[in-house]
């Protein structure tokens, strides 16, 4: 199956200005700084299609100077001009216009994102349509972050609080869901009145730059949102360290997150860090067997396991363990590979070649540690995509929770199956890991469901479902899974300072040497 040519596809969206091409026909993306796209000069990085393994575009390899230019532009936009002159209701209206444009161009954004990361059209279409809700929700919330009047115990003074923006916010996003994860940060940051400099993954920058065309159409003032592309060590680290950046919002791996946290702490910067997980998906004997089976598949093999909430540890109670594992192996072996644009395809490619290599290495790690391979374990050859980066859905049985395959995030379609005997052991295994992003519990017992939700150390606990999320509900992790929350009202407050104001109602201070 062939997807539509990108340039031909773009003709369906005449509002969008075209992207330049080079002599080989590759799209040439430039950085977006101070309200416009820069020239294409300087070093460049190739961006490849994981379905074909071939280059289809290139992005600018940003420098420290590019970062400074973007941050300075964002700082100017924050301190003077059209943006600070807008009130909260006007910011909200602007965000809703962006939401309308995102909804109108969802098909185009999904097409570009698929060229970059190879995700299934079925999932991308849903994600792009839903993405408009980030701008609608925070557009509606922009003028509703109310302060309070505090009835203090101090006579003669009036005390109230207000929420204020921080300033320049740095957003750093990964390659697995570039647009949704960026919008999850951009929308509340702008609703709060901040300005943004965004650094996308060097593997998946094109869709973010296409999104900036919609920001232009919506009338976002110059410098309010900027995109600097390039490598983490050259662009990301410089952005985190810039003295004018007040907050860093990062989604990615724990090692990079730790470095960012340490770097930010040296300047007392605030951080929001979502650093992945090793999430337990716990199935009890009394669960609805078929629903739990679907939940286990969705938890690890959806998006080829390339999701931070992947249920990569499947905990099965003794009474159902063998039958459940047998059925799971059957499903994994019958999964349909193919072009991600084909609605019949169930397994899409791995997004990047380095990630494919990492997944392969963890298969060897698991085997060396004594896990038993019962499904998959190697690359998949797909005739219609012979050069695609496909990997088989992989299942390891007889996994001990102390094995590396059960402790370290793989970020791929590799499932570790762990047996447990009772509720206490399930809780002990579930919590015996450095991460705490999400967990699933499958049971028909409401008391058990409530007990497990209270005992499992995770920021999100799904009961009899898996991977449900909403812009209205806070999302984030415990332990090494991160700091802070995204989405919901809690996500908005991450981008604001609370200020306490004291007004004296007295005409005379009796003794200035004594604290009141």
């Amino acid at each position: 199956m062939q997807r539509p040519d990108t340039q031909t596809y773009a003709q369906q969206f005449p509002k969008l200005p075209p992207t330049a091409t080079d002599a080989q026909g590759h799209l040439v993306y430039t950085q977006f700084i101070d309200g416009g796209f820069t020239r294409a000069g300087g070093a460049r990085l190739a961006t490849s299609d994981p379905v074909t393994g071939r280059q289809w575009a290139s992005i600018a390899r940003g420098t420290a100077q590019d970062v400074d230019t973007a941050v300075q532009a964002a700082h100017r936009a924050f301190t003077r001009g059209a943006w600070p002159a807008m009130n909260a209701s006007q910011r909200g209206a602007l965000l809703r216009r962006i939401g309308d444009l995102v909804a109108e161009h969802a098909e185009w954004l999904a097409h570009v994102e698929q060229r970059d990361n190879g995700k299934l059209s079925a999932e991308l279409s849903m994600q792009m349509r839903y993405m408009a809700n980030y701008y609608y929700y925070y557009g509606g919330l922009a003028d509703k972050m109310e302060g309070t009047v505090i009835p203090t115990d101090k006579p003669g003074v009036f005390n109230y609080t207000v929420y204020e923006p921080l300033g320049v916010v740095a957003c750093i996003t990964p390659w697995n869901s570039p647009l949704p994860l960026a919008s999850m940060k951009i929308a509340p940051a702008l609703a709060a009145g901040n300005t943004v400099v965004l650094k996308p993954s060097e593997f998946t920058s094109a869709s973010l730059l296409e999104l900036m065309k919609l920001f232009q159409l919506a009338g976002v003032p110059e410098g309010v949102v900027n995109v600097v592309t390039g490598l983490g060590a050259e662009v990301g680290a410089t952005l985190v360290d810039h003295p004018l950046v007040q907050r860093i919002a990062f989604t990615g791996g724990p090692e990079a997150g730790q470095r960012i946290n340490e770097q930010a702490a040296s300047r007392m910067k605030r951080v929001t860090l979502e650093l992945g997980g090793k999430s337990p998906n716990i199935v009890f004997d009394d669960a609805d067997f078929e629903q739990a089976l679907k939940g286990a598949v969705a938890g690890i093999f959806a998006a080829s396991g390339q999701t931070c909430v992947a249920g990569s540890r499947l905990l099965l109670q003794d009474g159902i363990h063998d039958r459940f594992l047998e059925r799971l192996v059957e499903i994994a072996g019958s999964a349909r590979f193919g072009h991600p644009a084909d609605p019949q395809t169930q397994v899409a490619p791995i997004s990047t070649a380095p990630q494919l290599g990492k997944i392969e290495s963890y298969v060897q790690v698991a085997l060396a540690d004594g896990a038993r391979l019962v499904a998959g374990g190697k690359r998949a050859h797909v005739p219609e995509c012979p050069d695609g980066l496909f990997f088989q859905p992989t299942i390891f049985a007889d996994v001990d929770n102390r094995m590396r395959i059960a402790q370290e995030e793989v970020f791929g379609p590799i499932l570790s199956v762990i047996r447990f005997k009772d509720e206490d052991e399930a809780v002990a295994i579930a919590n015996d890991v450095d991460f705490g992003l999400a967990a699933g519990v499958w049971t028909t017992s409401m008391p058990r469901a409530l007990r497990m939700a209270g005992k499992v150390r995770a920021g999100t606990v799904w009961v009899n479902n898996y991977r449900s999320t909403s812009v209205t509900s806070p999302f984030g992790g415990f332990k090494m899974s991160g700091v802070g929350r995204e989405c919901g009202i809690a996500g908005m407050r991450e981008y604001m300072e609370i200020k306490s104001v004291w007004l004296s109602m007295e005409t005379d201070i009796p003794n200035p040497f004594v604290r009141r």
Side-chain angles (χ1 to χ4, degrees):
M1 177 178 180
Q2 295 293 323
R3 66 158 69 87
D5 173 80
T6 300
Q7 292 287 42
T8 302
Y9 200 96
Q11 294 172 8
Q12 301 176 34
F13 301 92
K15 290 183 182 179
L16 297 178
T19 301
T21 58
D22 61 18
Q24 289 75 42
H26 304 141
L27 295 185
V28 178
Y29 284 98
T30 58
Q31 306 191 81
F32 185 78
I33 298 175
D34 206 11
F37 290 94
T38 62
R39 291 197 300 269
R44 303 195 63 76
L45 299 169
T47 184
S48 298
D49 185 337
V51 177
T52 65
R54 295 191 294 272
Q55 179 182 350
W56 72 279
S58 68
I59 61 167
R61 181 171 177 172
T63 65
Q65 181 58 56
D66 295 326
V67 171
D68 183 62
T69 301
V71 173
Q72 294 288 351
H75 182 67
R76 284 195 305 273
F78 178 74
T79 55
R80 60 182 184 268
W83 185 245
M86 295 174 69
N87 60 41
S89 296
Q90 291 170 323
R91 291 198 304 271
L94 177 59
L95 284 167
R96 291 191 292 275
R97 286 201 298 275
I98 295 172
D100 288 341
L101 287 166
V102 167
E104 181 183 348
H105 294 83
E107 187 181 354
W108 166 244
L109 295 173
H111 170 80
V112 177
E113 188 127 307
Q114 188 179 83
R115 292 300 301 265
D116 256 353
N117 74 357
K119 189 171 284 189
L120 293 177
S121 289
E123 180 157 0
L124 271 176
S125 296
M126 178 275 294
Q127 284 187 330
M128 295 304 109
R129 288 194 302 271
Y130 188 83
M131 195 173 76
N133 290 323
Y134 290 108
Y135 299 97
Y136 293 147
Y137 177 82
Y138 286 108
L141 195 58
D143 56 5
K144 298 172 182 64
M145 298 300 291
E146 299 173 347
T148 57
V149 174
I150 300 174
T152 72
D153 56 355
K154 303 293 183 180
V157 290
F158 177 71
N159 179 223
Y160 66 93
T161 61
V162 293
Y163 284 97
E164 296 183 350
L166 296 165
V168 180
V169 174
C171 300
I172 304 175
T173 56
W175 44 259
N176 61 318
S177 292
L179 282 175
L181 292 174
S183 295
M184 195 182 293
K185 297 166 174 55
I186 295 171
L190 296 187
N194 301 285
T195 56
V196 171
V197 178
L198 192 142
K199 190 272 176 196
S201 166
E202 61 271 26
F203 295 106
T204 53
S205 298
S207 58
L208 265 298
L209 293 164
E210 292 290 342
L211 181 65
M212 291 304 102
K213 296 178 183 179
L214 302 185
F215 277 52
Q216 285 182 313
L217 289 173
V220 175
E222 294 180 356
V224 171
V225 181
N226 308 268
V227 178
V228 182
T229 58
L231 302 176
E234 298 171 354
V235 173
T238 305
L239 182 58
V240 169
D241 199 48
H242 199 289
L244 292 178
V245 169
Q246 302 302 310
R247 172 176 278 280
I248 298 98
F250 172 80
T251 300
E255 295 82 7
Q258 284 179 290
R259 291 195 298 270
I260 288 171
N261 200 26
E262 292 167 0
Q263 196 174 349
S266 67
R267 293 184 180 271
M268 299 299 292
K269 296 182 182 182
R270 290 121 175 99
V271 295
T272 305
L273 306 171
E274 196 272 273
L275 307 180
K278 198 68 184 176
S279 300
N281 207 355
I282 308 165
V283 185
F284 286 94
D285 287 349
D286 68 341
D288 182 313
F289 189 91
E290 294 300 323
Q291 289 302 106
L293 193 62
K294 292 175 184 177
V297 172
I300 185 60
F301 297 134
S304 296
Q306 298 169 112
T307 170
C308 55
V309 297
S312 53
R313 290 186 299 152
L314 180 63
L315 278 58
L316 299 178
Q317 196 166 17
D318 284 331
I320 60 164
H321 177 279
D322 294 350
R323 184 164 64 101
F324 200 100
L325 179 59
E326 182 180 359
R327 287 287 306 281
L328 201 59
V329 169
E330 290 175 5
I331 293 172
S334 63
R336 291 190 297 272
F337 293 85
H339 197 292
D342 186 341
Q344 300 302 312
T345 296
Q346 295 175 317
V347 181
I350 304 303
S351 293
T352 74
Q355 184 61 26
L356 180 60
K358 177 184 176 182
I359 292 167
E360 289 181 305
S361 71
Y362 267 98
V363 170
Q364 299 308 311
V365 166
L367 291 171
D369 285 348
R372 179 166 60 94
L373 180 65
V374 294
K378 59 184 179 181
R379 296 191 186 196
H381 176 69
V382 179
E384 60 266 42
C385 310
D387 297 313
L389 308 178
F390 292 87
F391 197 84
Q392 297 174 338
T394 298
I395 301 172
F396 283 100
D398 302 335
V399 174
D400 186 294
N401 197 56
R402 292 167 293 184
M403 293 179 180
R404 285 181 60 192
I405 198 65
Q407 290 289 319
E408 300 174 11
E409 186 178 45
V410 178
F411 220 69
I414 295 184
L415 179 64
S416 298
V417 178
I418 303 171
R419 185 191 294 265
F420 72 92
K421 63 179 181 295
D422 56 26
E423 196 173 305
D424 288 341
E425 186 178 23
V427 170
I429 294 171
N431 291 338
D432 186 20
V433 70
D434 288 338
F435 297 99
L437 186 60
V441 177
W442 300 85
T443 178
T444 53
S445 167
M446 185 59 67
R448 171 179 280 163
L450 293 173
R451 287 194 302 270
M452 293 296 294
K455 292 178 180 179
V456 174
R457 297 284 295 165
T460 296
V461 179
W462 291 294
V463 178
N464 297 331
N465 71 105
Y466 205 90
R467 289 186 76 203
S468 298
T469 59
S470 170
V471 64
T472 63
S473 181
F475 177 78
F478 292 7
K479 300 186 284 187
M480 286 296 293
S481 285
V483 176
R485 290 297 182 267
E486 296 186 294
C487 297
I489 296 174
M492 178 85 161
R493 289 188 175 132
E494 296 282 353
Y495 295 97
M496 307 188 87
E497 294 273 25
I498 188 167
K499 177 183 287 184
S500 180
V501 180
W502 295 76
L503 298 177
S504 175
M505 296 183 291
E506 295 185 346
T507 58
D508 182 52
I509 299 175
N511 186 348
F513 291 95
V514 177
R515 181 180 177 183
R516 300 191 64 188

